C-alpha cells in the first residue's frame, strides 16, 4: 500500500519557528556565562583585605563546572568572563589616579591569558584525574602572566590570597607555584567529588578509581599543608636585631604626592627624630638600624646638599644607620635606589631596583602611546633604569635583603636576596599614588607569604601605610594605619637556614608547567584519535 505525503499547510511551514528555544531556554543558556563571571568575583572576595581565603575553593569548583566538556570557543569565552570577574575588582586601584583607561586595558590583556587557561582546562576535563592537569594549567598560566607582557604582572597569583589560610605552609615547600597549585587542585577536585556523588544518586556508574582520585585531590593539599607546618618557625637562628620602621606620611595623595619640594623627606626625617626622642626617654629600645620606605627622599640626596643634610641629622639623632629610598640620577640615568646612610660615614651601600614597573616607572611603546595621547607620556617623563645586582645590605653584621615594592610580587626578586645571604627581608614601598585602595593590603599579604616561603622576618616600610613587621611564620606583630605618621620598633629573629622553596627555586614551577603541557598533549592526542575513529 502506498501512503502519500500530507499536504503542506501554514502550520507546517511555521514548524521551524516552533522549535526555536523559548525565552526561558535562552536564559538558561546564559547561566554558565553568569556563573563564570560570578565565580571570578568570588575568587576576588577571597583576597585581602578580607580573610575569606577559603572562598577560592568554591570559586574554582564553579569554574570547573562551567568548563567541563566545553568546546574551545565556549571555554575561551567562559575563561575570559572568569578573568574579568576576578581581575576587574582586584586591580581597580591601578586606575585610581590615571583614570579607567589603563585599568581596563590591563584587565583586558590579563583576562586573555586566563581565557587561554580556560581553553586548556576544558580540553583536559575529559581526561582521568583531570583536576590535577587543570590545576597545573592554572599554575602554568600564572607563570606566563608573571613574565609577559613587558616583564609580566604577577598580581593576582592565587598564593597571594592565602596569607590567612590553612594552605600557607606549602609556600615553604615550593613557593607560590606549589601553594597556588594546591588551592586550585582542591577547588577543582571539590567539584569532581560533588559531580560523582550526584552521578551516584542518579544511578549512574561511578568508577572507584575516579572517586578515589577526586577525594585525594581534596585531601592531599590539606594533609600536605598540615605536614609542612614544621617548616614554619619564628625561632631565631642567628640572634636578633632591633629594627625600626618609619612611616613619615605624605603631604598630599595622588600622583603629585612629592610635588612639594623636600616635603616627603622632611616628614620621614621628622618621624625619625620623634622616635629618637622616645628612645632617649626610654620608651622604646634603640634600634640597630632604621628602614625608610621607597621614595622617602623625594629629591636626590647625592645632587642636593640640603637633602643630604636632612638625612645626616636624622641618622645622627637616632644613632643608627638608616636605609633611605631615593630617586637618584647617575650618568644621565634615573634609578629607584635604596641608600644605606650611616650616621658617621654618610651613604655607604646602595641597591637599585631591578624589576621596574611598566607604565609606572618606565613607558613601553612610548612613541605609539604619545601619538595616541600626549598626556600619557608626560606621566612618565623619563624611564627608570634597572639595577643589576641583588640588594643585600650588611648593617653591623646583619644582612638585610631588599625587594622594593613591585618586586615583592616576583618570586626571583625576593628569593635571590636570601640565596645571597639575607637573614631578614625588607620591602620598602610607596602607595601614596593609590589613595586608600586595597593595593596596600594586597601587597602586605604578598610579604606575609614571602616570610613563610623563605622563613625570614619581613619588614614593610611604606610612605603612607600600611607599614608592618612580619615574623617568619607570617604573623603580623605590628602595623600602622593609613596616611598617618608613625614608627614601629621591635626585636626580630634572624635566620640563615633555607626552606625547600628557597633551595628549589624555579624547579617546582617548571615541573608543574611540564605536567600542564603533558595534560594538554594527552588531551589533544585523545581528540585526534577520536576523530580518526569517527
Amino acid at each position: 500500500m502506498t501512503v502519500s505525503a500530507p499536504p503542506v499547510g501554514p502550520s507546517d511551514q511555521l514548524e521551524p519557528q516552533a522549535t526555536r528555544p523559548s525565552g526561558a531556554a535562552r536564559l538558561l543558556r546564559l547561566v554558565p556565562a553568569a556563573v563564570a563571571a560570578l565565580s571570578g568575583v568570588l575568587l576576588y572576595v577571597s583576597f585581602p583585605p578580607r580573610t575569606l581565603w577559603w572562598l577560592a575553593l568554591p570559586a574554582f569548583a564553579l569554574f570547573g563546572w562551567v568548563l567541563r566538556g566545553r568546546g574551545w570557543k565556549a571555554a575561551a569565552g567562559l575563561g575570559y568572563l572568569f578573568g574579568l570577574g576576578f581581575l576587574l575588582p582586584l586591580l581597580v586601584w591601578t586606575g585610581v589616579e590615571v583614570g579607567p583607561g589603563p585599568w581596563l586595558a590591563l584587565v583586558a590583556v590579563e583576562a586573555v591569558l586566563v581565557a587561554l587557561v580556560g581553553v586548556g582546562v576544558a580540553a583536559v576535563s575529559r581526561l582521568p584525574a583531570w583536576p590535577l592537569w587543570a590545576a597545573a594549567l592554572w599554575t602554568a598560566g600564572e607563570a606566563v602572566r608573571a613574565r609577559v607582557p613587558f616583564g609580566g604582572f604577577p598580581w593576582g597569583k592565587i598564593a597571594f590570597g592565602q596569607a590567612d589560610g590553612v594552605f600557607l605552609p606549602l609556600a615553604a615547600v615550593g613557593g607560590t607555584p606549589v601553594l597556588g597549585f594546591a588551592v586550585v587542585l582542591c577547588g577543582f577536585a571539590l567539584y569532581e567529588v560533588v559531580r560523582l556523588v550526584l552521578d551516584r544518586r542518579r544511578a549512574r556508574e561511578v568508577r572507584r578509581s575516579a572517586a578515589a582520585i577526586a577525594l585525594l585531590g581534596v585531601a592531599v593539599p590539606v594533609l600536605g599543608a598540615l605536614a609542612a607546618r614544621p617548616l614554619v618557625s619564628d625561632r631565631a637562628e642567628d640572634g636578633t636585631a632591633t629594627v625600626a620602621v618609619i612611616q613619615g606620611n605624605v603631604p598630599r595623595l595622588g600622583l603629585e604626592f612629592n610635588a612639594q619640594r623636600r616635603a616627603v623627606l622632611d616628614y620621614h626625617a621628622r618621624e625619625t627624630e620623634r622616635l629618637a626622642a622616645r628612645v632617649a626617654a626610654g620608651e622604646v629600645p634603640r634600634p640597630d638600624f632604621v628602614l625608610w620606605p621607597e621614595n622617602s627622599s623625594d629629591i636626590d640626596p647625592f645632587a642636593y646638599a640640603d637633602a643630604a643634610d636632612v638625612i645626616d641629622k636624622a641618622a645622627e639623632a637616632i644613632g643608627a644607620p638608616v636605609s633611605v629610598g631615593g630617586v637618584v640620577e647617575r650618568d644621565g640615568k634615573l634609578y629607584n635606589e635604596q641608600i644605606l646612610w650611616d650616621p658617621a660615614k654618610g651613604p655607604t651601600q646602595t641597591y637599585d631596583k631591578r624589576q621596574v614597573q611598566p607604565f609606572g616607572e618606565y613607558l613601553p611603546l612610548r612613541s605609539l602611546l604619545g601619538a595616541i595621547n600626549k598626556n600619557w607620556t608626560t606621566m612618565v617623563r623619563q624611564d627608570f633604569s634597572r639595577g643589576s645586582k641583588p640588594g643585600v645590605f650588611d648593617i653591623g653584621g646583619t644582612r638585610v635583603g631588599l625587594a622594593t615594592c613591585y618586586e615583592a610580587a616576583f618570586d626571583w626578586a625576593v628569593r635571590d636576596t636570601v640565596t645571597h645571604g639575607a637573614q631578614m627581608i625588607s620591602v620598602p614601598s610607596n602607595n601614596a599614588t593609590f589613595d586608600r585602595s586595597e593595593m596596600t593590603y594586597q601587597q602586605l599579604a604578598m610579604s606575609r607569604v614571602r616570610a613563610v616561603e623563605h622563613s625570614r622576618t619581613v619588614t614593610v616600610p611604606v610612605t603612607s601605610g600600611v607599614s608592618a613587621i612580619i615574623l617568619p611564620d607570617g604573623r603580623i606583630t605590628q602595623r600602622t594605619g593609613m596616611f598617618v605618621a608613625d614608627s614601629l620598633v621591635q626585636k626580630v629573629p634572624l635566620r640563615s637556614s633555607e626552606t625547600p622553596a628557597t633551595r628549589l627555586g624555579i624547579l617546582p614551577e617548571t615541573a608543574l608547567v611540564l605536567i600542564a603541557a603533558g595534560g594538554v598533549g594527552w588531551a589533544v592526542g585523545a581528540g585526534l584519535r577520536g576523530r580518526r575513529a569517527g
Side-chain angles (χ1 to χ4, degrees):
M1 182 175 67
T2 304
V3 179
S4 60
V8 177
S11 61
D12 299 297
Q13 292 175 353
L14 294 174
E15 182 62 24
Q17 292 184 358
T19 60
R20 290 177 183 174
S22 64
R26 285 195 294 269
L27 286 175
L28 283 174
R29 290 182 179 180
L30 297 177
V31 168
V35 171
L38 291 174
S39 59
V41 174
L42 195 64
L43 181 59
Y44 155 71
V45 175
S46 74
F47 271 65
R50 294 156 296 276
T51 57
L52 303 174
W53 56 270
W54 51 272
L55 286 179
L57 303 183
F60 278 102
L62 290 169
F63 192 41
W65 173 67
V66 298
L67 288 179
R68 190 173 188 276
R70 298 283 180 181
W72 73 268
K73 291 182 180 179
L78 293 168
Y80 196 78
L81 289 171
F82 180 82
L84 291 180
F86 173 43
L87 296 171
L88 270 172
L90 185 80
L91 303 180
V92 68
W93 52 267
T94 60
V96 166
E97 293 295 335
V98 295
W103 162 50
L104 295 175
L106 173 63
V107 171
V109 171
E110 293 290 304
V112 169
L113 299 176
V114 178
L116 294 176
V117 171
V119 173
V121 171
V124 302
S125 67
R126 299 175 176 87
L127 300 179
W130 72 267
L132 172 69
W133 314 110
L137 270 164
W138 183 271
T139 304
E142 287 190 339
V144 173
R145 288 201 295 120
R147 292 165 175 82
V148 295
F150 311 122
F153 189 75
W155 223 275
K157 271 190 168 187
I158 300 305
F160 296 150
Q162 296 296 309
D164 291 293
V166 298
F167 299 100
L168 181 60
L170 290 171
V173 175
T176 59
V178 167
L179 173 54
F181 169 78
V183 174
V184 179
L185 172 60
C186 198
F188 282 144
L190 183 64
Y191 159 65
E192 182 68 354
V193 168
V194 173
R195 186 184 73 83
L196 293 176
V197 168
L198 292 176
D199 280 353
R200 182 69 180 270
R201 288 184 176 179
R202 293 166 184 159
R204 295 175 182 171
E205 183 182 354
V206 174
R207 293 182 180 180
R208 289 184 179 180
S209 60
I213 290 171
L215 289 171
L216 286 172
V218 175
V220 168
V222 176
L223 295 175
L226 294 175
R229 288 185 64 84
L231 296 174
V232 181
S233 173
D234 62 355
R235 181 175 60 86
E237 295 175 333
D238 302 320
T240 60
T242 300
V243 58
V245 169
I246 298 295
Q247 178 175 302
N249 205 5
V250 294
R252 64 190 74 182
L253 309 185
L255 295 173
E256 300 302 319
F257 74 96
N258 62 355
Q260 184 179 335
R261 186 184 184 276
R262 224 186 70 181
V264 178
L265 172 57
D266 286 343
Y267 279 27
H268 285 81
R270 184 184 309 155
E271 188 58 33
T272 304
E273 290 164 358
R274 286 177 183 162
L275 176 61
R278 293 174 61 203
V279 170
E283 297 176 11
V284 292
R286 183 176 301 279
D288 297 314
F289 50 88
V290 179
L291 301 170
W292 285 11
E294 176 190 33
N295 302 149
S296 47
S297 179
D298 49 358
I299 55 177
D300 185 350
F302 295 113
Y304 295 93
D306 60 330
D309 185 56
V310 169
I311 300 171
D312 268 330
K313 289 179 178 177
E316 289 171 5
I318 196 65
V322 180
S323 179
V324 179
V327 176
V328 173
E329 188 169 357
R330 187 169 55 249
D331 300 326
K333 295 180 178 180
L334 206 60
Y335 294 94
N336 187 333
E337 188 167 86
Q338 289 292 311
I339 310 160
L340 185 62
W341 208 284
D342 187 87
K345 302 175 183 177
T348 58
Q349 302 172 56
T350 60
Y351 165 64
D352 297 323
K353 187 176 182 179
R354 294 170 294 164
Q355 187 69 41
V356 294
Q357 183 181 356
F359 305 100
E361 292 172 306
Y362 80 98
L363 198 62
L365 311 174
R366 181 179 287 273
S367 58
L368 174 62
L369 292 174
I372 298 172
N373 188 334
K374 290 183 180 180
N375 291 331
W376 291 350
T377 58
T378 59
M379 292 180 185
V380 185
R381 295 181 179 87
Q382 182 180 350
D383 292 342
F384 279 82
S385 296
R386 300 172 184 268
S388 58
K389 297 179 180 179
V392 181
F393 284 169
D394 189 334
I395 312 178
T398 298
R399 295 180 64 80
V400 180
L402 298 164
T404 305
C405 196
Y406 186 56
E407 292 182 321
F410 293 82
D411 295 346
W412 64 268
V414 181
R415 175 180 177 265
D416 69 0
T417 67
V418 179
T419 57
H420 282 78
Q423 298 166 302
M424 62 169 287
I425 300 168
S426 183
V427 184
S429 304
N430 171 32
N431 61 5
T433 55
F434 302 114
D435 205 347
R436 297 182 182 274
S437 68
E438 293 181 357
M439 179 269 185
T440 189
Y441 300 104
Q442 294 170 10
Q443 191 175 53
L444 185 60
M446 289 180 193
S447 297
R448 294 179 63 192
V449 173
R450 298 304 185 194
V452 173
E453 182 179 13
H454 300 293
S455 195
R456 295 291 188 272
T457 296
V458 176
T459 57
V460 187
V462 185
T463 49
S464 51
V466 172
S467 299
I469 296 175
I470 306 166
L471 293 184
D473 59 5
R475 286 182 299 126
I476 297 176
T477 54
Q478 293 190 60
R479 62 192 294 172
T480 69
M482 291 185 71
F483 295 100
V484 294
D486 204 351
S487 60
L488 309 173
V489 181
Q490 185 173 324
K491 182 182 289 187
V492 299
L494 304 177
R495 294 175 61 86
S496 56
S497 64
E498 293 186 351
T499 63
T502 307
R503 292 194 294 270
L504 292 171
I506 199 174
L507 290 179
E509 183 181 67
T510 303
L512 290 168
V513 170
L514 292 175
I515 290 171
V520 171
W522 185 4
V524 170
L528 291 175
R529 287 192 296 273
R531 288 182 182 180
R532 290 191 190 116

